[in-house]
Amino acid sequence: LPPSSTTRTPLRSSSRGSQSAYVGADGSFRLLEVEPGSHLLEVACVGFQFPPVRIDVSRRKQGKVRVNLLDDFRGEGLMYPLVLEPRGKAQYFTPREEYSLLGLLRNPMVLMMVVGMGLAFLLPRITDKEEMQQQMQGLMNPTGKPGQEGPPSLSQLWQQLKEQQ
C-alpha cells in the first residue's frame, strides 16, 4: 500500500463492528485479534481506489484464513502476505457538461415556445383577412338581428328556446 498518514485499512464485521489500522512507512499494516467469521477489508487512501477484500477466518481450524477480492468471481484466493494494488486514481469530481445549442432545442419548454411563436407568426399570413372580418362580425352579432352587439344574454337565449318549441 502507498505509505501515507491518511491511509487506513478498516476491517468491518457484520456481527462485531469494525476495527482499523494505519499503514506504516513501509506500506504494511497489521490487524490484531481478528475474531472468526467473515469480514470486509476496505482500504481508505486519498487519491487511490482499492478493491474491497473479503476475509474469512475459520472457526473450526485455528489460524486458517481465506482471502478473496470481493469483485473477483473466479474464486481464486489471495496469498499471504496480502498485497493490494490500487485499481487506479480516484476521481472525486465529474466533468461539467458542455453547452450545446442542440441540447437546448431538445428541451420540451423551448420546443413549445418555438412552435407557439411559429404559429403566431404564420397563421395571420395563411388566413384570408376578409373571411376573418366576417367571422368577427358573426361573433359580435350571433343572432343576426341588427342593432344587437355582443353575445346574447341568458334571457334572450331563453326566449329563443321558447320560440323554437
Side-chain angles (χ1 to χ4, degrees):
L1 295 175
S4 171
S5 62
T6 59
T7 303
R8 291 185 321 118
T9 55
L11 182 69
R12 291 184 175 81
S13 174
S14 60
S15 61
R16 287 168 287 285
S18 66
Q19 68 183 53
S20 64
Y22 285 97
V23 176
D26 60 349
S28 66
F29 64 93
R30 193 175 282 208
L31 295 167
L32 303 174
E33 300 178 17
V34 178
E35 296 182 14
S38 292
H39 306 279
L40 181 65
L41 177 73
E42 295 176 325
V43 178
C45 180
V46 175
F48 294 98
Q49 289 181 331
F50 287 87
V53 177
R54 179 180 173 165
I55 300 174
D56 295 315
V57 179
S58 176
R59 287 191 166 97
R60 295 182 186 146
K61 296 182 180 178
Q62 191 77 8
K64 183 172 181 183
V65 177
R66 187 174 69 190
V67 180
N68 289 355
L69 290 175
L70 198 61
D71 57 356
D72 184 17
F73 300 108
R74 295 177 295 198
E76 298 176 11
L78 298 176
M79 304 303 276
Y80 184 81
L82 185 61
V83 177
L84 296 175
E85 296 290 329
R87 284 184 183 163
K89 291 199 172 242
Q91 287 187 319
Y92 298 108
F93 303 104
T94 57
R96 188 175 185 178
E97 287 187 28
E98 295 181 15
Y99 180 76
S100 169
L101 187 60
L102 184 62
L104 181 67
L105 290 177
R106 289 182 182 167
N107 185 338
M109 294 300 288
V110 173
L111 286 173
M112 287 176 27
M113 184 178 69
V114 168
V115 168
M117 290 175 68
L119 289 174
F121 180 74
L122 292 176
L123 282 180
R125 286 165 176 66
I126 296 173
T127 58
D128 185 24
K129 290 185 180 181
E130 292 177 11
E131 184 181 334
M132 283 184 71
Q133 285 179 350
Q134 289 175 356
Q135 286 180 356
M136 289 293 286
Q137 287 175 355
L139 288 174
M140 296 299 286
N141 191 359
T143 59
K145 296 179 182 175
Q148 181 181 355
E149 293 185 6
S153 65
L154 287 175
S155 61
Q156 291 172 345
L157 287 174
W158 184 253
Q159 284 182 355
Q160 287 177 1
L161 284 174
K162 282 186 176 181
E163 290 174 3
Q164 289 176 0
Q165 289 178 358

